[in-house]
Amino acid sequence: MAGNTFMYAQNLHKIYRKNAISTPVLKGVDMEVAEGEFLSVVGASGSGKSTLMHLLGSLDKPDVGEIYYREKRIDNLSADKRDHLRNHDFGFIFQFYHLLPELTALENVMIPLMIRSSVFSWLGNGSVARKRAITLMEKVGLGHRMHHLPKELSGGEMQRTAIARALIGNPALLFADEPTGNLDEDTGREIVQLLRELNEIDNVTIIMVTHNLEIARGTHRIIKLVAGHVEVPLQQHPEAFGVVRPESFDNLPEDENHPDETRRPAGI
Amino acid sequence: MYKLLLCWKYLRTRYLAMVCIVSVMLGVATLIVVNSVMGGFSTKLKERLHGLLSDVVLEAYDYDGFTDAPSKMALIRNDPFLSNEVEAMTATLEIFAMLQFNFREVPFTRPVRIIGIEPEGRKAVGGFAEHLVNPKNHENPTFNLDENARERFIIRRASRGIDFPGPREAPNLNEPPPPDPPPSKPHEPQGVILGYAIAHYRDRNAPADLVNKDVRTLEPGDEVVITTVSGAKMSPVFDRFVVSDYFKSEMSEYDSNYVFMPIEHLQKLRTMEDRVTSIQIKLKDYNKAPKVVARLRELFANAPLEVQTWEQKQGAVLAAIRVEKGILNILLFLIIAVAGFGILAIFSMIVVEKTRDIGILKALGASNGGILTIFIGYGFLLGLVGAGLGTIIGLEITVHINDIEKLIANVTGQDIFPRDVYYFDKIPTDINLFSVFLVNLGSIGIAVLFSILPALRASMLHPVRALRYE
Ligand SMILES: Nc1ncnc2c1ncn2[C@@H]1O[C@H](COP(=O)(O)OP(=O)(O)OP(=O)(O)O)[C@@H](O)[C@H]1O
Ligand SMILES: [Mg+2]
């Protein structure tokens, strides 16, 4: 297994059970991402892309399999270590922005820093955090919208706010689940452009789920989820950071890897 | 830090939360008002029940009384323990009697209790002089008529406008006559102090704006006849008296029954010189009453005397008040419990509504404990604000309760607080800061308690499920 990879996952299984019905969503996913890489995850609706992101982002635990981040296994950490990881190392961007509706844009951006500090330490360094939030808001082009509530912002503006929020904790790894899914094409392109800059200039590693193949082609590498497995990469950039394909990928049974497999309709 | 911010924001933006606040507020306000009014009534009632009774009463078992009160008082005064505890004492003689008088040429008769007292001594024991209507009597209670009363007496006597049923002058053959009148002046009967309600009645047809609706049936200077029984043989004895003042304690039992006269006069009338029915004792420190009672019982172990504190004498009524207050408080606390269930319901709704936000917060690294704190803190804040507002409103209402009562009475035309029923001029209130504090503590506690369940549910939410929640 690649020892120097930034994050990698081995044989991830996830089965959703509801009453007697169990839905296997991931059936042995192996994947990895290198430091500084901009990775796209594509796949049909319901193929488990969000599920994979949740597992990698330690929002959920796999039924089987292991996830390593910076050479440390993270899928079996205690709850508070996972909370700490999400707060300090990871950033999340969602399709529906997921801003807190009661807070202004600026407050939304500051939330991750508030979560990590007590009232007293906030009294001490709150103004520093505030300055940083303002800088980030300006960086994502929202310097003039800081005191608006989410409902007073457009979709693109909300997503920029969410990006600023994801960045404020200085994450090493950014998870973006269909960040452009709810936006028109132009706005979506702007958002992706913003992410690409973050990746290139600030060297943030990004894993992005998208349905838009054109957008996906603008990233370093694409993996496709089909029927609970990672399919052969559609596109391997020449500068693909020497990522080694996991061996287990070759061992996948052929039938389960069939692209035309009829799937049951996707649900959420 | 985010917990505080979110609590605050949720408090400001949730209108449902206002419902919680209002329900806590109403509960707290009601509790405070009812408690204060109940407290006021019971303090006032206690005051009145204490009223004429001294702290400790030494009393004979029957109307015959006991002899030699002075030597018994001397015994008490010489006791090393009691002499330090007793502030004042006085002997009294009590007996039932009939009172007869004419009002607007119509004869009236009513049963009364006569209390023979020594005015100065009775004043020292307390609960007497301050209730006399004539202010001159507060300092120096006497049974003598003042100028106006004497004038009225002389005029009425001259016009012979009064006529009593029965024998006019006491034709008592077996009994000694009343004390000798001063030879120089026309015969003036002994003065007596009547209970206020004996000499007044409330005119229900009086115009509404009349402040004093009391109609006086007996003026100072009017004559009355009192009939009672003599000591040994229980044969009827009677005498003429003249009203000198009124006793108004606002305790209707006393005001409508008691007639005071000098103890020596009553003793002579009843031919039981030197006999009294009780010795009233005032203590320096009422907390020592049980010890004093024990010592007195020891001292008079062989005499047919009962020793009791005033509370023991009024035991049944006091116990009833206590029980009533306790039950009322429990019932009222149920109001706040109802508010608590309101909080439970509304909080559960808010948690459902906030499900996705909870998921977001967890995705951003908030811990389960943090989420728990937000919602419990929210409950605490609701309780605090509700209780605070409730306290302010409750205290405001309590302080202005009489104005409010007047206003409501004016608007609805319905007398809420019929003063002649309670015999109070205004609704008594007694704000007990400790119970206000307890009410606040209890209601905030209930708010927190009922927010625990929804808060736990929120904290247990799985982040992914919460994020996927639509
Ligand atoms: N809690 C759950 N219980 C049962 N099944 C679930 C649950 N959550 C997700 N699923 C199922 O898991 C499968 C994968 O869901 P997931 O959201 O990961 O797909 P996705 O690739 O992100 O789809 P989309 O492109 O529509 O976002 C779906 O078929 C969905 O119905
Ligand atoms: Mg998805």
Side-chain angles (χ1 to χ4, degrees):
Chain A
M1 197 86 263
N4 58 351
T5 341
F6 191 54
M7 173 182 259
Y8 65 95
Q10 260 180 324
N11 194 30
L12 290 183
H13 286 256
K14 184 74 189 173
I15 301 171
Y16 287 115
R17 288 187 186 81
K18 185 151 202 186
N19 304 326
I21 310 160
S22 58
T23 320
V25 178
L26 302 181
K27 305 174 199 163
V29 169
D30 298 290
M31 58 144 322
E32 71 287 289
V33 61
E35 187 153 18
E37 193 179 11
F38 193 162
L39 176 71
S40 292
V41 179
V42 298
S45 188
S47 56
K49 305 182 294 294
S50 298
T51 307
L52 178 62
M53 296 289 267
H54 294 150
L55 293 183
L56 295 178
S58 81
L59 277 167
D60 205 352
K61 289 187 175 189
D63 294 322
V64 178
E66 292 160 13
I67 300 168
Y68 291 86
Y69 167 68
R70 290 192 155 141
E71 309 303 329
K72 283 199 199 81
R73 189 164 169 193
I74 60 166
D75 60 286
N76 57 358
L77 289 178
S78 63
D80 52 332
K81 289 223 175 83
R82 290 148 68 89
D83 291 340
H84 184 272
L85 202 62
R86 286 200 299 276
N87 188 250
H88 285 79
D89 289 56
F90 299 163
F92 290 90
I93 305 169
F94 305 97
Q95 177 178 359
F96 298 104
Y97 328 121
H98 285 351
L99 299 176
L100 298 177
E102 285 86 8
L103 305 187
T104 64
L106 190 66
E107 285 164 339
N108 261 293
V109 172
M110 289 191 291
I111 274 285
L113 294 186
M114 288 190 184
I115 286 176
R116 64 174 80 155
S117 54
S118 70
V119 173
F120 293 108
S121 63
W122 187 257
L123 289 179
N125 54 27
S127 57
V128 181
R130 200 182 165 82
K131 272 199 199 96
R132 175 157 166 71
I134 291 173
T135 318
L136 274 171
M137 287 295 276
E138 278 160 0
K139 183 169 175 177
V140 299
L142 282 181
H144 57 300
R145 283 269 184 271
M146 288 192 279
H147 301 294
H148 289 240
L149 291 176
K151 62 170 182 249
E152 298 158 353
L153 298 175
S154 73
E157 286 166 341
M158 281 196 269
Q159 197 58 296
R160 286 164 191 274
T161 309
I163 292 174
R165 178 179 69 186
L167 291 176
I168 195 156
N170 263 329
L173 182 50
L174 201 59
F175 295 96
D177 193 347
E178 299 189 40
T180 61
N182 242 27
L183 301 173
D184 63 68
E185 240 172 72
D186 287 346
T187 319
R189 217 171 288 128
E190 280 167 34
I191 295 291
V192 172
Q193 184 54 37
L194 184 62
L195 290 179
R196 207 178 283 135
E197 280 165 20
L198 286 173
N199 175 253
E200 275 160 22
I201 298 166
D202 302 317
N203 200 33
V204 183
T205 309
I206 301 179
I207 304 179
M208 177 175 74
V209 170
T210 181
H211 274 292
N212 188 328
L213 266 182
E214 188 206 329
I215 285 177
R217 288 209 183 85
T219 63
H220 297 152
R221 187 164 62 98
I222 302 173
I223 60 174
K224 184 173 183 183
L225 273 187
V226 177
H229 298 279
V230 175
E231 211 199 36
V232 187
L234 288 181
Q235 179 195 31
Q236 186 88 45
H237 268 255
E239 66 277 44
F241 309 99
V243 172
V244 184
R245 258 177 67 200
E247 311 83 278
S248 56
F249 190 85
D250 301 323
N251 305 335
L252 292 177
E254 277 303 312
D255 53 2
E256 284 206 27
N257 205 10
H258 201 276
D260 296 337
E261 186 191 41
T262 47
R263 293 185 42 87
R264 60 176 201 78
I268 297 181
Chain B
M1 175 61 209
Y2 69 107
K3 302 163 201 162
L4 212 65
L5 180 71
L6 285 172
C7 274
W8 174 238
K9 293 274 176 175
Y10 287 172
L11 192 69
R12 281 189 33 195
T13 54
R14 292 297 107 174
Y15 292 107
L16 274 178
M18 296 297 141
V19 178
C20 294
I21 290 181
V22 169
S23 63
V24 173
M25 183 185 86
L26 289 180
V28 168
T30 319
L31 261 177
I32 288 177
V33 171
V34 173
N35 242 315
S36 302
V37 173
M38 277 292 286
F41 268 95
S42 86
T43 328
K44 202 103 185 185
L45 204 62
K46 254 177 136 167
E47 231 167 62
R48 289 175 185 189
L49 283 174
H50 194 160
L52 269 178
L53 293 172
S54 59
D55 297 335
V56 173
V57 183
L58 199 74
E59 122 189 275
Y61 286 114
D62 66 6
Y63 284 117
D64 233 14
F66 51 88
T67 52
D68 220 5
S71 73
K72 289 193 166 65
M73 293 189 340
L75 200 60
I76 294 172
R77 220 169 274 127
N78 292 334
D79 183 90
F81 171 69
L82 293 175
S83 59
N84 279 332
E85 297 302 330
V86 172
E87 180 165 336
M89 47 189 163
T90 187
T92 61
L93 174 59
E94 258 189 76
I95 185 69
F96 54 85
M98 299 302 286
L99 177 84
Q100 289 169 291
F101 61 94
N102 278 355
F103 174 59
R104 293 179 186 157
E105 309 306 323
V106 183
F108 282 85
T109 305
R110 52 183 302 169
V112 293
R113 282 180 86 81
I114 300 185
I115 306 187
I117 56 167
E118 190 269 296
E120 273 308 317
R122 190 62 192 78
K123 177 188 173 239
V125 170
F128 170 68
E130 60 268 33
H131 296 311
L132 296 179
V133 170
N134 187 340
K136 282 183 206 151
N137 275 338
H138 290 182
E139 269 308 305
N140 251 327
T142 82
F143 289 100
N144 299 333
L145 303 190
D146 69 3
E147 300 303 306
N148 300 340
R150 179 160 296 125
E151 208 169 288
R152 181 177 167 92
F153 168 72
I154 291 169
I155 291 171
R156 300 214 94 194
R157 176 53 73 85
S159 72
R160 279 276 157 210
I162 42 168
D163 191 20
F164 292 106
R168 190 161 297 169
E169 298 296 337
N172 273 344
L173 305 175
N174 344 355
E175 311 300 338
D180 298 330
S184 53
K185 287 184 216 159
H187 169 76
E188 182 183 310
Q190 174 61 48
V192 289
I193 296 175
L194 292 188
Y196 185 81
I198 298 174
H200 300 79
Y201 69 91
R202 192 151 288 196
D203 186 4
R204 285 169 197 281
N205 300 323
D209 51 343
L210 199 66
V211 180
N212 187 358
K213 296 180 189 168
D214 293 345
V215 176
R216 192 165 271 193
T217 56
L218 283 166
E219 297 279 349
D222 285 353
E223 279 186 90
V224 296
V225 170
I226 291 174
T227 310
T228 179
V229 292
S230 71
K233 279 165 284 170
M234 302 290 271
S235 52
V237 290
F238 60 92
D239 194 5
R240 230 166 228 281
F241 295 88
V242 58
V243 177
S244 72
D245 198 0
Y246 310 109
F247 175 81
K248 189 181 185 187
S249 67
E250 297 196 332
M251 175 78 181
S252 67
E253 193 195 318
Y254 300 153
D255 290 358
S256 60
N257 284 315
Y258 283 9
V259 173
F260 295 90
M261 67 170 70
I263 188 166
E264 322 84 58
H265 194 99
L266 184 59
Q267 284 170 339
K268 269 187 199 147
L269 181 65
R270 297 189 58 205
T271 60
M272 41 191 288
E273 268 92 350
D274 197 31
R275 293 187 86 87
V276 302
T277 49
S278 68
I279 296 176
Q280 312 257 342
I281 301 172
K282 180 181 176 151
L283 300 183
K284 286 177 179 147
D285 176 9
Y286 184 70
N287 294 329
K288 298 229 179 92
K291 275 189 200 148
V292 172
V293 169
R295 177 70 191 125
L296 282 171
R297 282 187 182 149
E298 216 175 289
L299 206 59
F300 298 106
N302 298 322
L305 291 177
E306 185 158 36
V307 185
Q308 281 178 310
T309 65
W310 76 269
E311 280 174 323
Q312 286 164 336
K313 269 185 80 91
Q314 303 278 20
V317 186
L318 289 177
I321 294 176
R322 248 195 317 274
V323 168
E324 198 177 323
K325 207 173 167 187
I327 290 178
L328 199 73
N329 261 315
I330 292 172
L331 288 180
L332 285 173
F333 229 86
L334 288 181
I335 295 181
I336 293 196
V338 170
F341 279 102
I343 289 181
L344 183 70
I346 288 172
F347 262 48
S348 304
M349 283 173 67
I350 290 180
V351 167
V352 169
E353 191 192 323
K354 290 276 136 217
T355 298
R356 219 170 48 179
D357 296 13
I358 293 164
I360 297 166
L361 287 169
K362 288 190 172 174
L364 297 176
S367 62
N368 290 357
I371 304 288
L372 189 77
T373 322
I374 290 181
F375 284 91
I376 289 181
Y378 190 29
F380 174 77
L381 219 59
L382 288 184
L384 193 72
V385 174
L389 291 176
T391 304
I392 293 171
I393 293 177
L395 291 181
E396 272 309 294
I397 292 179
T398 307
V399 170
H400 298 293
I401 191 146
N402 286 292
D403 303 333
I404 294 171
E405 187 267 336
K406 230 175 271 165
L407 188 79
I408 297 177
N410 280 346
V411 171
T412 61
Q414 187 82 38
D415 206 0
I416 302 170
F417 183 75
R419 281 163 173 71
D420 38 346
V421 171
Y422 293 102
Y423 233 91
F424 294 135
D425 293 337
K426 45 187 188 167
I427 303 172
T429 57
D430 183 9
I431 297 172
N432 181 343
L433 285 183
F434 181 67
S435 78
V436 169
F437 170 75
L438 272 190
V439 165
N440 271 282
L441 199 74
S443 50
I444 293 174
I446 283 187
V448 169
L449 196 74
F450 280 90
S451 55
I452 285 178
L453 214 65
L456 267 178
R457 226 181 67 130
S459 73
M460 295 308 199
L461 271 177
H462 193 283
V464 169
R465 202 154 304 162
L467 279 173
R468 285 183 191 266
Y469 182 84
E470 286 301 313

